Amino acid sequence: GHTALDTEGIESLQVPANILDQRFEAAGVFDRAEIQGIQIYIRSIYLQGLLLLEESEMPKGLANISPALTAIDGICKEFEITRQQLALGYIRYRYENSKPVVGAETPEQGMGNCESWTKSFPNEFWYNISNSIPKVTEQVLNPALWPI
């Protein structure tokens, strides 16, 4: 299939990726981009905000994200970190040649993103993390499929 990676003159690419969503990595997009010298910008680091919502705020129809969030909350509690620190830290560790794209509605949120981004983790922290979080369905990962 014709992809952005096959298009002449593409210098950068924006793709969604987060601690629950490794679809583009699995498809080899990150590896190919690196070989071709294409800069990747990662969006949807918080899965459109889902990763920061409380259980009670979760939209109906997305309940099957619950086991994953429960596992994430367990990790956060055990290591005394926030979901935001975990989500950004994962991206920084896993995709070190990519750049994050995050939104903020207030200066405080912007500062919070920056502080969370700079939090350091020992590398071994990440070894079992992604394996310890239950997989979620395409319906959760793709906002186009979310119930209105």
Side-chain angles (χ1 to χ4, degrees), residues 28-84:
V29 170
F30 288 87
D31 292 337
R32 274 193 61 195
E34 194 160 337
I35 290 165
Q36 293 173 228
I38 295 172
Q39 176 66 62
I40 289 192
Y41 293 88
I42 298 179
R43 63 177 166 81
S44 205
I45 291 171
Y46 303 130
L47 190 47
Q48 307 292 89
L50 273 196
L51 291 178
L52 303 178
L53 289 182
E54 294 304 316
E55 195 73 47
S56 59
E57 303 170 306
M58 201 52 66
K60 297 273 180 278
L62 291 178
N64 64 10
I65 196 177
S66 286
L69 287 183
T70 300
I72 285 170
D73 283 338
I75 293 163
C76 289
K77 192 172 175 166
E78 182 181 346
F79 294 98
E80 297 180 349
I81 55 173
T82 64
R83 284 191 196 172
Q84 188 179 37

Side-chain angles (χ1 to χ4, degrees), residues 2-148:
H2 188 72
T3 67
L5 290 172
D6 298 320
T7 306
E8 201 62 44
I10 295 277
E11 293 175 14
S12 66
L13 203 56
Q14 201 179 96
V15 300
N18 55 64
I19 199 163
L20 299 182
D21 186 358
Q22 290 100 39
R23 292 172 300 167
F24 283 83
E25 181 183 343
V29 170
F30 288 87
D31 292 337
R32 274 193 61 195
E34 194 160 337
I35 290 165
Q36 293 173 228
I38 295 172
Q39 176 66 62
I40 289 192
Y41 293 88
I42 298 179
R43 63 177 166 81
S44 205
I45 291 171
Y46 303 130
L47 190 47
Q48 307 292 89
L50 273 196
L51 291 178
L52 303 178
L53 289 182
E54 294 304 316
E55 195 73 47
S56 59
E57 303 170 306
M58 201 52 66
K60 297 273 180 278
L62 291 178
N64 64 10
I65 196 177
S66 286
L69 287 183
T70 300
I72 285 170
D73 283 338
I75 293 163
C76 289
K77 192 172 175 166
E78 182 181 346
F79 294 98
E80 297 180 349
I81 55 173
T82 64
R83 284 191 196 172
Q84 188 179 37
Q85 288 170 333
L86 183 69
L88 283 170
Y90 176 80
I91 294 298
R92 197 178 96 181
Y93 164 77
R94 190 76 175 248
Y95 307 113
E96 57 188 358
N97 296 319
S98 300
K99 294 181 168 28
V101 177
V102 289
E105 291 169 11
T106 64
E108 292 73 28
Q109 285 180 353
M111 290 301 296
N113 279 321
C114 292
E115 284 166 18
S116 294
W117 179 257
T118 56
K119 171 146 182 75
S120 59
F121 293 86
N123 272 355
E124 56 273 16
F125 173 84
W126 298 108
Y127 289 162
N128 298 311
I129 290 291
S130 35
N131 299 332
S132 66
I133 299 173
K135 299 283 172 257
V136 293
T137 61
E138 170 81 14
Q139 198 243 333
V140 168
L141 296 178
N142 184 349
L145 302 176
W146 293 358
I148 304 303

